[in-house]
Amino acid sequence: MRVLSPGRVNLIGEHTDYTFGYVMPMAVNRYTVIEGEKAGGVKLYSEHFNEERSFSLNELVREGSWIDYVKGVYRALFDEGYNPGGIHGRVGGNLPLGAGLSSSASFELAVAAFLNKAYNLNLSRLEMALLAKKAENEFVGVPCGILDQFSIAFGKKGHVLFLDTDTLEYEYIPFPEEISVLVFYTGVKRELASSAYAERKKVAEEALRLLGKRTSKEVSEEEVSGLPTLYARYLGYIVRENRRVLEVRDALKEGDIATVGEILTRAHWDIARNYGVSSDELDFFVRKAKELGAYGARLTGAGFGGSAIALADRDKAEELGRAILREYQRVFPWRAEHFVVEPSDGVE
């Protein structure tokens, strides 16, 4: 059996999901691939790491390697009363690891989808997404929200997802066929479990508590202004970002890509200045992309390195990526890469 699990790009709505705000991700046509068969225990070969790892299903102990994502999915399934058997197979694909395109969530959903099919667990896409999030939060130890797992489970070709991470109500918004998304991986790996991500999440949650609010959707900028400085800065960014997601949704429905691009660029400089998760490399890309004719550009994912995106006309996107890469390599020593992606179907 073969499972294809896409990566994801978040068009707009960054660091809003852990305060139950709005996001707008898309699954993209870069994949984690698992090929394998049912077995008693787990034995998987990773093409990326060029190594085989194995474990028995009654020994789910963290070991600090890529196999923990597999163990985490099993632990989440066992906790929910499911009892799948093992897998023998290999993990490959063309989704870069550590680039900010949710390779970890893609891998988790690939494992969940494989077990779901192989052992007739009858899990819905939502159940798989929630189990994968539980695996990442509780076993791997990354305090992420639902954005990544949901977008990889629910992706739809030619569409972005508008998602309310509070209610999990979602809507598919058509993405213009004549526009491409250029992804630029800076070559700077970012560690999502880092203290910087956890610290921002903690401050944002504490700011909501101080205001007596359940979600960032309920907060106005006026209310934010009364908070202590750091709380006001972080939650203020999130409140503005929620509003931008709604603005992009409306602009996409009207086919107004110029406005979408302008909002994306504005979002980047807001997150850079007020949330502090950008970097010189990401900022360089955003400036160059705009300079060379992109509609708009911004970091995508948690930041701290990783990737940025730009919107460009389909026939110009590849050349734009090459031009930025040439300029980038004159300034930075990292091994960067770029690729053009399109909205794609979820895990299958």
Side-chain angles (χ1 to χ4, degrees), residues 92-165:
N94 62 355
L95 179 64
L97 274 58
L101 300 182
S102 293
S103 55
S104 59
S106 175
F107 187 24
E108 290 155 0
L109 262 300
V111 174
F114 186 101
L115 297 177
N116 190 38
K117 183 79 171 172
Y119 294 102
N120 300 312
L121 304 181
N122 296 314
L123 296 165
S124 68
R125 286 184 179 270
L126 179 58
E127 286 169 328
M128 285 196 292
L130 292 170
L131 281 163
K133 177 181 180 291
K134 182 181 168 83
E136 186 131 5
N137 292 167
E138 297 178 13
F139 193 88
V140 180
V142 179
C144 64
I146 190 65
L147 184 155
D148 296 348
Q149 291 84 1
F150 197 97
S151 51
I152 290 164
F154 284 87
K156 183 179 178 183
K157 191 173 174 62
H159 293 74
V160 293
L161 268 167
F162 169 73
L163 171 66
D164 180 332
T165 62

Side-chain angles (χ1 to χ4, degrees), residues 2-22:
R2 186 166 181 261
V3 175
L4 260 79
S5 186
R8 74 94 190 91
V9 157
N10 195 27
L11 193 63
I12 187 84
E14 218 62 79
H15 286 272
T16 54
D17 62 340
Y18 48 73
T19 56
F20 303 107
Y22 300 119

Side-chain angles (χ1 to χ4, degrees), residues 24 48 53 66 113 144 163 171 204 216 242 246 255 316 324 345:
M24 190 176 285
H48 180 86
R53 297 245 174 190
W66 59 272
C144 64
L163 171 66
E171 180 184 357
S216 56
N242 277 331
L246 298 173
K316 295 176 184 166
I324 297 171
D345 289 328

Side-chain angles (χ1 to χ4, degrees), residues 99 181-186 268 281-282 285-286 297-300 305-310:
V181 178
L182 169 68
V183 177
F184 188 91
Y185 171 44
T186 60
H268 177 81
E281 294 86 352
L282 292 163
F285 171 81
V286 170
R298 60 179 286 275
L299 67 81
T300 189
S307 293
I309 56 170

